[in-house]
Amino acid sequence: MKQSATVQLIKDSLDKLADPVEAPNKARFFKTGKGEYGEGDSFIGVSVPDQRKTAKQSYRQAELQDVEELLASPVHEHRLTGLLIFVEKYKRLKTVEEKKAYADFYLAHTRAVNNWDLVDSSAHYTLGDYLCVIGDYSVLRKLANSKNLWEQRIAMLSTFAFIKAGDFKPAFEIADMLIFHPHDLIHKAVGWLIREAGNRDMVAEEEFLKTRYKTMPRTMLRYAIEKFPEGRRQMYLKGEA
């Protein structure tokens, strides 16, 4: 299929910003080696600020088809820039019907949202926001039950939209579903979102933690209690809370 002119302009802009010296550093940082979580991903060395700037300059002329083309690219920066454009366009949607179309698009392309930065830059701004608007997060349960690491992280990160709206139930429910997950990227995501709930209501966080903190993964606990007063934090770490 022929590449659109808009996609070509975006890729050309990113190529001009690319740093071939930085590219291998990014590849190592995002664990692209054999057997690692980002195995096989490709980088050209564009900074995130430059990708955000490109997205803001491009989102008006870019259509969903252009985003789809970018998400199909093997180059990480193409996919991230595509998602950043997607987020910029989503922010300006007016109706629930429009948001549903974008949420459906996102769910249809989760295979391309395949590293933690891609998830964290998009999930709660788009899918999470739509689900919060309609008050139904059942799809997050399905994603949490997926065998795909990134869909599981999407499930957890999407609850951030609910947390920001003052509803902690989705975050705590999805956290419970993932609490004994084997991967530290999920431990960090779960701990982070529990902490975000606690930043707004520490009583609610501690109520969640009191029957779980002794058995949850240590990294998850450390992330969850990072903002606690030092004395209280130490009590949790020592199992004395």
Side-chain angles (χ1 to χ4, degrees), residues 190-200 205 223-224 226-227:
V190 172
W192 168 22
L193 272 299
I194 292 171
R195 183 181 73 225
E196 287 296 337
N199 286 344
R200 293 156 176 82
E205 179 182 359
Y223 269 64
E226 184 179 15
K227 298 295 180 65

Side-chain angles (χ1 to χ4, degrees), residues 49-75:
D50 280 341
Q51 289 178 76
R52 291 192 182 281
K53 183 177 179 181
T54 301
K56 286 182 181 293
Q57 292 171 340
S58 306
Y59 78 88
R60 289 184 179 87
Q61 63 264 36
E63 304 293 340
L64 276 183
Q65 178 63 41
D66 298 316
V67 173
E68 188 169 46
E69 286 188 41
L70 289 167
L71 291 180
S73 172
V75 176

Side-chain angles (χ1 to χ4, degrees), residues 117-160:
D117 62 322
L118 303 175
V119 174
D120 298 3
S121 298
S122 61
H124 65 283
Y125 295 112
T126 57
L127 177 62
D129 177 82
Y130 167 69
L131 298 178
C132 188
V133 167
I134 66 170
D136 179 1
Y137 61 94
S138 56
V139 69
L140 299 186
R141 299 187 188 103
K142 294 178 183 178
L143 291 172
N145 279 321
S146 168
K147 294 181 180 179
N148 182 286
L149 172 68
W150 307 117
E151 289 190 341
Q152 292 169 325
R153 189 169 173 111
I154 286 170
M156 194 67 237
L157 262 293
S158 293
T159 68
F160 199 178

Side-chain angles (χ1 to χ4, degrees), residues 2 13 24 36 40 43 45 56 110 124 140-141 149 156 175 180 200 209 216 224:
K2 185 178 179 181
S13 295
E36 295 182 308
F43 288 81
K56 286 182 181 293
T110 55
H124 65 283
L140 299 186
R141 299 187 188 103
L149 172 68
M156 194 67 237
F180 297 121
R200 293 156 176 82
L209 288 175
M216 66 170 49

Side-chain angles (χ1 to χ4, degrees), residues 25-219:
N25 295 331
K26 286 183 174 292
R28 284 190 292 272
F29 181 74
F30 285 100
K31 306 296 184 184
T32 63
K34 186 173 177 57
E36 295 182 308
Y37 60 73
E39 181 177 353
D41 208 350
S42 174
F43 288 81
I44 57 175
V46 184
S47 71
V48 173
D50 280 341
Q51 289 178 76
R52 291 192 182 281
K53 183 177 179 181
T54 301
K56 286 182 181 293
Q57 292 171 340
S58 306
Y59 78 88
R60 289 184 179 87
Q61 63 264 36
E63 304 293 340
L64 276 183
Q65 178 63 41
D66 298 316
V67 173
E68 188 169 46
E69 286 188 41
L70 289 167
L71 291 180
S73 172
V75 176
H76 188 100
E77 290 93 339
H78 293 169
R79 300 197 307 282
L80 179 54
T81 301
L83 287 167
L84 293 173
I85 289 170
F86 184 74
V87 170
E88 289 295 327
K89 293 180 74 65
Y90 181 92
K91 288 178 181 178
R92 290 157 179 84
L93 300 178
K94 303 297 184 183
T95 68
V96 175
E97 290 75 19
E98 289 174 317
K99 291 187 175 187
K100 181 183 186 304
Y102 272 62
D104 289 345
F105 177 95
Y106 191 81
L107 288 169
H109 293 83
T110 55
R111 184 172 294 184
V113 190
N114 58 351
N115 214 311
W116 59 263
D117 62 322
L118 303 175
V119 174
D120 298 3
S121 298
S122 61
H124 65 283
Y125 295 112
T126 57
L127 177 62
D129 177 82
Y130 167 69
L131 298 178
C132 188
V133 167
I134 66 170
D136 179 1
Y137 61 94
S138 56
V139 69
L140 299 186
R141 299 187 188 103
K142 294 178 183 178
L143 291 172
N145 279 321
S146 168
K147 294 181 180 179
N148 182 286
L149 172 68
W150 307 117
E151 289 190 341
Q152 292 169 325
R153 189 169 173 111
I154 286 170
M156 194 67 237
L157 262 293
S158 293
T159 68
F160 199 178
F162 289 85
I163 290 172
K164 288 185 285 189
D167 182 1
F168 309 137
K169 182 181 176 182
F172 290 153
E173 181 178 338
I174 302 302
D176 259 341
M177 293 179 69
L178 297 172
I179 200 163
F180 297 121
H181 195 283
H183 205 293
D184 72 331
L185 284 175
I186 299 297
H187 301 172
K188 292 173 181 178
V190 172
W192 168 22
L193 272 299
I194 292 171
R195 183 181 73 225
E196 287 296 337
N199 286 344
R200 293 156 176 82
D201 187 340
M202 188 173 287
V203 172
E205 179 182 359
E206 292 211 67
E207 181 67 22
F208 177 82
L209 288 175
K210 71 180 182 181
T211 58
R212 300 166 176 85
Y213 81 95
K214 290 183 179 180
T215 56
M216 66 170 49
R218 197 69 166 175
T219 296

